[in-house]
Amino acid sequence: MTPRGPLVALAALLVAGAPARAQVPRPSRPAPADTTRPAPAAPADTTRRAAGDTTHRAPGDTTGARRDTTPVPDSLRPDSFLPQLPRLGAPPGPMPKNGRFVFDHDALWFSGALDLAELLQQIPGVFLVRAGWYGRPEALHYAGQGAASLELYWDGFAIDPLGRDSAGIDLSTYNLGFVNRVEVEVLPTVIRVYLFSDGQAVRRPRTETSFATGDASTNTYRVRYLNRWKDGLGLGVGVEFLGTAAGNAASGHSNDLTIWGKGSWIPSPRFGVEYQALSTTINRDAFAETLPSGAADTIPNPGSHRTDLFFRGFVATRDDGMGLRFDALAGSTSYTDSAAVLNRNELQGATVVAYRAGRWSGELTTRVRDGSTPLELQLRGALSPFYGLTVSGSLDRKSHVGARRSTDASLGAELRPFPGLAFHGVARMRSVVARPDVLTDTAQRVTDVSGGVALTSRGADLDVTYARHGAFTAPLYGVFDTVVAAYPSLPVRTVTASFALRPTLFLSLSGWYRHPLDPVTSAYEPPHHSRLAATFRTRLLPVLRRNAFDFTAEAAVEAWSHGAMGVDGSGNPIRLPGAMVVDYRLEMRLLGAALFWTVRNSRSELYSLVPGVAMPHVAQRYGVRWEFTN
């Protein structure tokens, strides 16, 4: 696609724009999850935890103190609220504890995360691999699975990797400026991330302006505009820019520009259509690194341009999200780089047939592509046969070019004999092709299991999980393949403990610790890995007008011991040095404005996550976000 592609797409949106109908959030105090029945996927915002919904908030998130934190404009008539498209994300209904994490609007606002990668650091066991300063490539590793650690969806549209390796996704290119909710489905060896784009819920225009600066001329700018009209039309457009001069730990500049547009028409909660365009242009200089042999090298890092365009429509039999629903998606993705080496295009289409009842739900997705995976079938279901028991599972069947097949099945359950005690477990069995685009790659058979016990009370949560993942040769990721030959995953048993303490309404302490029980050389799975966060947040909603004032101060510590980054061409492990990184964050909200200040690696720890690429220290950013109705 030419550089004019995103501008043409946005122009089309302005002509044919269409909306999304909103949901009326109901104030409520979340109680411990009750597994009596699945929570209905009604237009109501699911940040309110209804009976049977075992969704869990982001680790350490205590926003459910007294009221739903979704911002509601004041002095609006009931007929100002319009419905939105139903979410296409993790399986609806109950899931085992720690099987799903939700970052709602409030959690995203106060996360302090610059992009999606920083947000996912809060998931227990995630290891985020950065190649230097802001704007550099970022890869997520989970349970030693390399590029197979992550699956990403944007409003139900699969974000397939089309970059240099066609295997991994660079999370640094996905900012949170156009997202109002993130749901994370966690299985023993994969994390499925569902991004839900922002949309205006009421018939009132909304605008956001945001700018920030920091060390090494790290500047970010964002402008958004959203609106809804009485006839069901809606529009959302936005631009975000990130530029940096790299800083004291790397050389070279980086500039990222993202353009987003969405139009929708939803005249009824039972049917509607939506069109979206997401275009990202990246210009990054090459940067120096050190090969495992000790020789100096330069990692080529050509600029790239990716555009995703897709259309979605739905019809439903009921207004409340229950009953039968049918969704259809069709779209295209194009990817090019400035070196004129890659020029890839992919067409994608999907249909979703879903049914939701009081105690069970089912969903069948058929996805077709014109790439290396022409056909994919996915069946999901959730069941709560009686109080205290929830069961959920999925079955994925993929057909690849070269007459190859991949099968991925999972089954999870939670038994809650008492309100504060839960036993949970998940099994994942797969026979999958790690690199469908490589015709010589064949399926690997792997079985992964996890199980644990959780204690929940008003002031504290504790979960201890035992897991075992099998041997799996994971695909490489991006620019790292020049220095790391493979990301091996060996049969390893691990123990992960996560906790949250809430001694007062204003203070919370949360974190997790992960420890492999076997000697390992799996990539980015060190013997000891932990993250701890202490958060102070004023909670004046019962006293002051909603969003009138809020203040957050947080200190987070992440530490890991010596491990391995992977293996080199000779099969020898590449050493991962241990480190301890301390971050700080301050944020103050005044009505629709938020002032923030963050410091990364405040202790000036000298470490690297890619051979020979030093990480920055004392990386400061500060700025303001202002969201207002016109």
Side-chain angles (χ1 to χ4, degrees):
M1 177 173 287
T2 65
R4 299 178 182 175
L7 298 179
V8 175
L10 284 179
L13 281 172
L14 292 173
V15 175
R21 265 174 116 181
Q23 310 147 1
V24 182
R26 303 176 181 177
S28 115
R29 179 172 188 150
D34 184 348
T35 58
T36 303
R37 63 177 63 90
D45 191 336
T46 54
T47 53
R48 178 192 181 191
R49 189 176 301 176
D53 187 359
T54 55
T55 296
H56 302 285
R57 292 181 177 273
D61 181 16
T62 59
T63 55
R66 292 204 177 267
R67 288 183 174 270
D68 189 326
T69 54
T70 303
V72 178
D74 298 320
S75 304
L76 288 175
R77 298 190 308 271
D79 62 354
S80 295
F81 294 87
L82 301 174
Q84 293 180 331
L85 268 70
R87 298 189 182 100
L88 287 178
M95 294 182 68
K97 187 172 179 61
N98 286 347
R100 171 166 50 197
F101 294 89
V102 174
F103 299 89
D104 58 14
H105 178 277
D106 193 77
L108 294 176
W109 188 281
F110 282 97
S111 68
L114 177 64
D115 52 37
L116 178 60
E118 290 189 356
L119 182 73
L120 296 179
Q121 278 187 294
Q122 301 183 47
I123 305 300
V126 164
F127 200 109
L128 180 60
V129 181
R130 292 186 173 106
W133 192 263
Y134 295 120
R136 293 302 186 186
E138 296 176 335
L140 182 148
H141 284 257
Y142 182 68
Q145 300 299 297
S149 302
L150 176 72
E151 297 177 12
L152 185 62
Y153 300 86
W154 184 290
D155 285 335
F157 188 79
I159 303 297
D160 295 328
L162 294 178
R164 167 176 165 176
D165 58 355
S166 292
I169 298 175
D170 181 2
L171 289 179
S172 69
T173 63
Y174 290 90
N175 55 64
L176 302 173
F178 311 124
V179 176
N180 72 348
R181 185 180 179 93
V182 178
E183 292 188 8
V184 183
E185 180 187 0
V186 180
L187 294 175
T189 48
V190 70
I191 290 179
R192 292 170 178 159
V193 180
Y194 303 92
L195 305 177
F196 301 99
S197 61
D198 201 0
Q200 182 64 334
V202 296
R203 291 192 288 115
R204 174 182 290 185
R206 175 162 54 100
T207 303
E208 179 191 354
T209 60
S210 172
F211 60 90
T213 187
D215 296 331
S217 300
T218 302
N219 302 313
T220 58
Y221 307 94
R222 181 194 308 152
V223 178
R224 295 191 305 152
Y225 173 81
L226 302 99
N227 204 350
R228 293 296 301 276
W229 290 271
K230 185 176 181 179
D231 56 3
L233 292 176
L235 177 67
V237 292
V239 177
E240 180 154 348
F241 171 81
L242 165 66
T244 178
N248 55 0
S251 60
H253 293 74
S254 176
N255 297 311
D256 299 358
L257 176 65
T258 301
I259 302 175
W260 168 77
K262 179 168 75 171
S264 58
W265 178 63
I266 308 108
S268 165
R270 297 189 180 186
F271 64 91
V273 294
E274 181 179 84
Y275 173 77
Q276 283 198 67
L278 184 67
S279 178
T280 303
T281 302
I282 301 174
N283 293 296
R284 294 170 174 170
D285 294 342
F287 57 96
E289 45 88 24
T290 303
L291 296 174
S293 62
D297 193 15
T298 299
I299 296 180
N301 202 13
S304 63
H305 177 81
R306 173 170 178 146
T307 299
D308 293 282
L309 307 171
F310 60 95
F311 172 89
R312 176 190 170 195
F314 88 98
V315 293
T317 59
R318 292 175 54 170
D319 295 348
D320 58 0
M322 307 295 282
L324 184 65
R325 193 185 82 238
F326 176 82
D327 294 86
L329 296 96
S332 65
T333 301
S334 63
Y335 182 95
T336 58
D337 68 7
S338 58
V341 176
L342 297 180
N343 187 2
R344 292 171 175 161
N345 298 275
E346 180 183 88
L347 298 177
Q348 180 182 150
T351 61
V352 182
V353 180
Y355 188 86
R356 190 159 194 185
R359 291 186 176 273
W360 66 275
S361 64
E363 184 178 277
L364 175 63
T365 301
T366 303
R367 197 180 304 271
V368 295
R369 303 174 174 89
D370 65 346
S372 55
T373 305
L375 177 63
E376 177 183 359
L377 299 175
Q378 184 178 73
L379 179 64
R380 293 178 167 183
L383 173 67
S384 179
F386 54 84
Y387 175 82
L389 177 65
T390 63
V391 180
S392 64
S394 66
L395 175 63
D396 292 327
R397 180 74 171 175
K398 298 179 181 179
S399 299
H400 308 296
V401 294
R404 296 169 298 164
R405 302 286 188 272
S406 291
T407 302
D408 190 339
S410 66
L411 180 65
E414 176 184 293
L415 177 62
R416 188 179 292 272
F418 308 104
L421 175 65
F423 300 94
H424 59 88
V426 181
R428 185 188 185 203
M429 295 150 286
R430 47 183 170 147
S431 175
V432 296
V433 177
R435 290 292 304 268
D437 59 312
V438 179
L439 295 179
T440 57
D441 194 14
T442 57
Q444 304 178 57
R445 296 182 179 273
V446 191
T447 299
D448 313 303
V449 296
S450 69
V453 58
L455 300 174
T456 304
S457 67
R458 184 177 297 273
D461 299 328
L462 175 64
D463 181 274
V464 179
T465 299
Y466 167 88
R468 181 190 183 276
H469 61 70
F472 182 76
T473 302
L476 301 178
Y477 167 78
V479 297
F480 306 151
D481 59 8
T482 62
V483 292
V484 181
Y487 294 142
S489 177
L490 305 178
V492 176
R493 299 169 302 155
T494 62
V495 171
T496 304
S498 58
F499 73 95
L501 301 176
R502 297 173 291 274
T504 70
L505 183 64
F506 311 101
L507 181 65
S508 65
L509 183 68
S510 62
W512 52 265
Y513 169 75
R514 185 176 179 91
H515 173 58
L517 301 178
D518 303 312
V520 298
T521 54
S522 292
Y524 299 104
E525 195 171 12
H528 304 280
H529 186 196
S530 61
R531 189 178 189 276
L532 178 68
T535 305
F536 172 84
R537 179 177 174 185
T538 60
R539 301 207 176 268
L540 303 178
L541 293 183
V543 179
L544 299 178
R545 176 173 170 265
R546 178 182 289 262
N547 295 335
F549 175 82
D550 213 340
F551 174 79
T552 299
E554 181 179 87
V557 180
E558 184 176 7
W560 59 90
S561 58
H562 299 307
M565 298 180 184
V567 298
D568 58 20
S570 302
N572 299 316
I574 303 175
R575 185 172 182 268
L576 171 68
M580 183 174 70
V581 181
V582 180
D583 301 334
Y584 295 106
R585 175 171 63 91
L586 299 176
E587 186 156 349
M588 181 174 64
R589 179 188 295 184
L590 296 171
L591 297 177
L595 307 174
F596 62 91
W597 174 68
T598 63
V599 182
R600 299 287 186 258
N601 193 9
S602 62
R603 296 177 64 250
S604 300
E605 182 82 6
L606 300 178
Y607 71 103
S608 63
L609 301 175
V610 177
V613 179
M615 291 295 294
H617 53 84
V618 195
Q620 298 186 71
R621 289 184 63 250
Y622 46 90
V624 60
R625 294 192 301 267
W626 184 25
E627 188 175 79
F628 55 93
T629 54
N630 301 64

